[in-house]
Amino acid sequence: MKPTVAPFPAARLRRTRQSPAIRALVRQSSLSVDDLIWPIFVRAGEDMEEPVPSMPGVVRRTVDRAAIAATEAAALGIPAICIFPYTAQDDRTEDCAEAWSPDNLSNRAIRAIKAAAPDIAVMTDVALDPYNINGHDGFVVDGEIINDETVEALVRMTLAQAEAGADIIGPSDMMDGRIGAMRAALEAQGHRNVMILSYAAKYASAFYGPFRDAVGASGALTGDKKTYQMDPGNSDEALRLVQRDLSEGADMVMVKPGMPYLDICRRVKDSFGAPTFAYQVSGEYAMIRAAALNGWIDGEKAMLESLLAFKRAGCDGILSYFAPEAARLLNG
Ligand code: PBG
């Protein structure tokens, strides 16, 4: 579609910007509480929370507090919550066995949240990094992140999460073939309605730094994740990954990080028309928060603008640490 350009003054494009009512009338994209998924960090212990220093305003909560937070999120109208565990040092091993333990932190949090707030959808994280002695998302043998053995472990992890009551499985590991393997196992075990939101186009990004602090993986990580996460210079490859994951049974797909990758969101949405999400990751959160705390930007406005931009780029929803704050503002 080629826009027709009328000559001035027939085309005074400022006419449709003249008042709040007219701007509302012609606005193409909007942000609503329905668009938000809230990632939270859980830790061991009871009835306490502790701040994550590199993410001001974000805390790690004990399971009981996570259930309360989920109840509050549900009351705000937030449709989904996503759990990330801060695993105790002793539970990080080379064989990552804690990852599929039915009683690990994440699975206990799923059960507690489903009991306290049955209507909020619970999303999980599937990757070995919170349980791995070396901080990688897969098993490491002779310096290599081995794909197929990792996929078997991810399937075990997926089934344990489904058994605990997860609604949406979120594989963030970037191994090949995991979606098909997970889908087949879920079907075989009767978890027909458990959904998979694939981190399909996940880039090897410097913006994950504060998250790795939050889950206690920063010090642990040996090397980088470039042999499995995507190269930031690539765009076509994101489409191949999304196509592959959808064909293997992903119900929804994600682009991650968010703000520096809005072009990828747009291409993915236009190419496949599948439910498409972006993850506004920890580093993006930290940047906006830090600038706001310094008085350099208006934090609330910058946050809402950044979230709206995801909608304009074609996303159906956004994972954001700002979710409760944004929901409060949107609910007025
Ligand atoms: C790891 C995982 C990461 C994030 C979510 N899952 C970090 C990584 O890949 O190292 C990052 C989220 C964020 O930065 O907010 N499986």
Side-chain angles (χ1 to χ4, degrees):
M1 186 189 61
K2 258 237 145 79
T4 47
V5 184
F8 177 84
R12 285 186 186 270
L13 293 179
R14 288 185 55 191
R15 278 191 210 106
T16 51
R17 296 179 214 137
Q18 63 183 281
S19 68
I22 299 303
R23 288 194 294 273
L25 191 64
V26 301
R27 187 172 301 126
Q28 286 186 274
S29 306
S30 61
L31 178 70
S32 117
V33 180
D34 293 342
D35 302 322
L36 302 171
I37 300 177
W38 183 29
I40 61 162
F41 300 108
V42 289
R43 52 153 295 146
E46 257 176 64
D47 197 23
M48 64 88 89
E49 45 192 54
E50 61 181 345
V52 177
S54 50
M55 300 177 75
V58 169
V59 298
R60 303 183 189 110
R61 310 175 153 76
T62 51
V63 169
D64 47 354
R65 291 281 188 107
I68 295 169
T71 311
E72 289 164 0
L76 287 167
I78 295 172
I81 195 162
C82 181
I83 300 168
F84 291 98
Y86 174 72
T87 311
Q89 228 21 264
D90 288 353
D91 288 331
R92 298 172 196 247
T93 56
E94 217 165 308
D95 68 4
C96 306
E98 182 67 7
W100 50 92
S101 159
D103 286 318
N104 70 21
L105 205 44
S106 167
N107 292 332
R108 280 187 281 129
I110 295 170
R111 285 194 293 267
I113 290 173
K114 288 314 289 186
D119 292 335
I120 195 165
V122 174
M123 177 174 167
T124 64
D125 179 54
V126 177
L128 298 182
D129 56 315
Y131 312 97
N132 207 343
I133 193 85
N134 51 51
H136 277 287
D137 292 17
F139 293 127
V140 183
V141 175
D142 296 333
E144 189 187 335
I145 287 68
I146 52 171
N147 194 87
D148 300 11
E149 294 80 354
T150 297
V151 169
E152 285 173 30
L154 299 175
V155 167
R156 284 198 284 275
M157 202 174 162
T158 299
L159 289 177
Q161 294 173 349
E163 290 298 328
D167 300 290
I168 304 171
I169 305 294
S172 68
D173 56 283
M174 289 296 280
M175 296 300 118
D176 285 324
R178 89 270 205 223
I179 303 297
M182 290 165 51
R183 189 73 264 165
L186 287 168
E187 290 289 321
Q189 298 301 315
H191 299 296
R192 239 159 258 135
N193 290 329
V194 172
M195 291 159 276
I196 300 176
L197 200 178
S198 167
Y199 288 59
K202 177 171 175 179
Y203 287 84
S205 174
F207 289 97
Y208 305 151
F211 173 94
R212 292 180 190 165
D213 295 341
V215 297
S218 314
L221 185 64
T222 50
D224 56 49
K225 300 191 176 185
K226 291 180 184 171
T227 68
Y228 46 107
Q229 298 181 346
M230 274 184 72
D231 189 299
N234 291 347
S235 173
D236 291 342
E237 188 185 352
L239 301 188
R240 297 180 69 198
L241 286 162
V242 168
Q243 179 170 45
R244 193 266 317 265
D245 284 3
L246 289 172
S247 74
E248 288 185 19
D251 302 284
M252 306 175 257
V253 293
M254 190 201 292
V255 174
K256 178 183 173 192
M259 294 183 324
Y261 295 88
L262 292 182
D263 57 322
I264 307 299
C265 297
R266 171 49 66 195
R267 285 193 80 189
V268 166
K269 188 61 178 180
D270 286 351
S271 301
F272 302 103
T276 302
F277 293 81
Y279 198 145
Q280 183 180 51
V281 300
S282 56
E284 301 175 61
Y285 173 89
M287 287 194 302
I288 293 174
R289 186 64 97 201
L293 286 172
N294 275 295
W296 296 334
I297 57 173
D298 180 324
E300 288 183 354
K301 286 190 180 136
M303 164 186 70
L304 290 176
E305 181 180 332
S306 71
L307 293 171
L308 176 62
F310 289 108
K311 297 295 300 296
R312 193 193 62 236
C315 292
D316 297 290
I318 310 107
L319 285 95
S320 174
Y321 301 98
F322 287 122
E325 231 176 298
R328 273 182 207 103
L329 292 169
L330 292 167
N331 289 339

